[in-house]
Amino acid sequence: MVFSRIALGTLALAAGLALAPHARAADACQLEISGNDQMQFDKHELSVPATCKEVTLTLHHTGKLPKEAMGHDWVLMSTSDLGAVAQSGLSAGASKDYLEPGDKRVIAHTKVVGGGESTSVTFSTASMKPGGDYSYECTFPGHSALMKGKFKFG
Ligand code: CU1
C-alpha cells in the first residue's frame, strides 16, 4: 500500500516534469505591455528566451484618451536605431502610424491604438541574435523619450 502510493506520486511528478517545459516555453514567447494616458509603459524591460522562434506581443492602452491625442504603438529595433526610427516615424505621420513604410530597422511593430484598445503582433525572431542589444519604443510624436525599454532576447 505504501509502495504503490509512492509509485503513484512518482508517476505524477514525472508527468508534471514532462509537461511543464512545454507549457513554460509557450508562455515565455507571449508578452504583454500596457501604455496609459500619462505617456508611460508599465514595463521598462521585456525578455524572451532565444528558444522562441516566434514572439507574440500584445499592447493594451489602459487610458481613455483617443489615439489622435495619446496614441501608443510598440516598435522593436536594435537599441542603436531608437532615435532614428522615431525621427523617420515623425516624418511619416499619423496616416502611416508614425513609422516610415518598409523601415528595415524595424524588427516588429504594432499599429497605433487609443484608450481602451488592444492590439497584437506576432513576429519571427530569425533576424535577431541571442544576447543582442534590442529596445522597444512608442513612435507617437514626443513619446519615445519616456516610452521605451530594453528587449532581452536569450
Ligand atoms: Cu505612446
Side-chain angles (χ1 to χ4, degrees):
M1 223 22 214
V2 171
F3 173 78
S4 66
R5 230 182 287 152
I6 292 168
L8 273 177
T10 306
L11 267 178
L13 185 65
L17 287 175
L19 288 171
H22 294 286
R24 268 204 302 268
D27 291 343
C29 305
Q30 313 264 330
L31 299 171
E32 303 215 19
I33 191 166
S34 297
N36 62 22
D37 282 345
Q38 284 73 49
M39 212 193 293
Q40 293 162 332
F41 279 135
D42 66 336
K43 292 172 185 158
H44 296 288
E45 187 178 303
L46 293 170
S47 67
V48 293
T51 47
C52 292
K53 291 194 162 45
E54 277 193 340
V55 173
T56 298
L57 176 123
T58 302
L59 166 66
H60 304 285
H61 191 319
T62 56
K64 290 187 164 58
L65 295 171
K67 76 172 188 178
E68 292 76 17
M70 184 57 70
H72 300 312
D73 63 2
W74 182 89
V75 185
L76 178 65
M77 67 204 79
S78 289
T79 298
S80 58
D81 292 330
L82 274 173
V85 168
Q87 191 59 43
S88 299
L90 194 59
S91 309
S95 67
K96 302 286 191 278
D97 268 0
Y98 301 107
L99 279 176
E100 183 184 299
D103 192 331
K104 297 248 188 317
R105 297 166 297 196
V106 172
I107 297 167
H109 70 92
T110 67
K111 62 177 186 169
V112 174
V113 291
E117 298 177 330
S118 292
T119 186
S120 288
V121 61
T122 297
F123 59 95
S124 166
T125 59
S127 71
M128 299 175 72
K129 294 186 188 72
D133 191 3
Y134 302 101
S135 290
Y136 56 88
E137 67 181 351
C138 171
T139 61
F140 192 92
H143 287 199
S144 62
L146 280 175
M147 299 187 74
K148 63 183 173 186
K150 285 276 186 184
F151 188 92
K152 301 209 161 157
F153 179 62

